[in-house]
Amino acid sequence: MTKGEKELLLKDLSARLPYGVKIHIEHDVFYDEIEPYDSVLTPKILNDFLRMERLEVKPYLRPMSSMTKEEDDEYENCCWDNLALPKSHFYRLDIWENVDYLHMDWINSHHFDYRGLIEKELALVAPDGMYNIQTE
């Protein structure tokens, strides 16, 4: 993993910390788990990832294309009202810099990969039902 990839992943993991993102861990010398193993991201794991070169942490994320109709409606109703972009831009990754923190909180809490980490092999595709997100 390059320094740039690690920085990108660290930014992403830091934003997901409050939302119980599940992660896959390899090369961990501090825990008694049999490697590799899955866990929920904690501040300690994030700190270890920052400090240790060999530790590999990959979040389980949902591709944007896996958004359900109900989630799409929820996102549109709660988020697009305050965003001055047409809905046709929703799936374009290059517009996310225009989205404020409330929109990012919703995306992070639903574990969507808006940074393209899956394609960069820095994240794993979350299996169906892994997060059991309840829409409002």
Side-chain angles (χ1 to χ4, degrees), residues 3-4 10 24 29 41 43 52 55 59 74 87 114 118 126 132:
K3 182 179 178 185
L10 184 60
H24 181 79
V29 297
L41 183 65
M52 296 173 50
L55 182 65
E74 179 184 348
K87 188 170 184 273
Y114 60 92
I118 294 170
N132 292 323

Side-chain angles (χ1 to χ4, degrees), residues 6 9 13 16 25 35 38 50 56 60 64 66 74-75 77 100 130 135:
K6 187 164 186 165
L9 186 54
L13 290 172
R16 295 178 189 279
I25 299 174
E35 292 185 48
D38 292 344
L50 179 62
E56 289 185 29
Y60 284 99
M64 294 297 289
S66 73
E74 179 184 348
Y75 185 82
N77 291 334
D100 65 36
M130 174 178 258
T135 59

Side-chain angles (χ1 to χ4, degrees), residues 64 67 75 79-80 82-101 103-104 107 114-116:
M64 294 297 289
M67 184 177 290
Y75 185 82
C79 298
W80 286 101
N82 298 320
L83 187 61
L85 288 172
K87 188 170 184 273
S88 62
H89 291 284
F90 180 73
Y91 294 105
R92 288 188 38 212
L93 295 178
D94 60 347
I95 60 99
W96 286 106
E97 68 233 1
N98 298 317
V99 181
D100 65 36
Y101 71 93
H103 303 107
M104 298 314 299
I107 292 290
Y114 60 92
R115 295 181 193 260

